[in-house]
Amino acid sequence: MNLCFAMLVPETYASAEKGKVIFEENCVECHGERGDGRGAVGPYLEEQRPADLLAEKTRARSNKELFEIIQYGVHFEMPGWEGVLSDQEIVNVVKYLRALASASLPAGE
Ligand code: HEC
């Protein structure tokens, strides 16, 4: 059991690291470097501000939900990434979002 865990963790880190690169290339302009929704483009979007990806609402979503949001988009201001990012790349981005969200929690939580 412990062995499996030790083997899985580095793999998760590696995926999150790949997800970071994808996030920086495709998502930062709207969602901001920290994922808090304060990217440079946000204020210019007319209808809907980019979501704060660290918020409780987003944290509470399942991996599947996040995957589908990223795949299909939400609103016309949040484009779908199907055909741009591969399924594996979307999985990596979801892992990176989890890493960002847990890094933003106050110590002790
Ligand atoms: C052009 C700006 C833009 C880009 C680029 C963009 N987003 Fe978004 N995103 C938005 C907006 C605006 C919303 C809020 C949509 C709504 O709630 O109507 C959103 C919502 C989301 C949500 C849903 C949050 C929630 O819990 O409701 C996720 C997850 C998300 N974006 C992830 C990403 C990822 C990952 C990328 C990069 C692959 C990305 N976004 C790129 C604008 C953008």
Side-chain angles (χ1 to χ4, degrees), residues 4-87:
C4 289
F5 186 66
M7 282 161 61
L8 279 175
V9 170
E11 205 273 314
T12 300
Y13 272 118
S15 313
E17 274 300 310
K18 288 185 202 146
K20 179 171 196 264
V21 175
I22 296 163
F23 189 82
E24 282 169 356
E25 282 172 1
N26 301 288
C27 322
V28 160
E29 71 230 45
C30 288
H31 290 285
E33 223 163 291
R34 293 172 51 236
D36 56 7
R38 295 167 193 262
V41 170
Y44 303 102
L45 294 179
E46 287 182 10
E47 294 280 326
Q48 181 72 46
R49 292 293 168 87
D52 173 359
L53 302 178
L54 310 176
E56 186 54 41
K57 173 186 162 203
T58 304
R59 279 181 212 277
R61 293 190 192 279
S62 67
N63 288 338
K64 183 167 182 283
E65 260 181 298
L66 289 177
F67 184 96
E68 288 176 354
I69 288 172
I70 297 166
Q71 184 173 37
Y72 300 122
V74 187
H75 191 260
F76 68 93
E77 311 253 42
M78 166 63 191
W81 297 88
E82 193 178 23
V84 180
L85 298 178
S86 68
D87 288 3

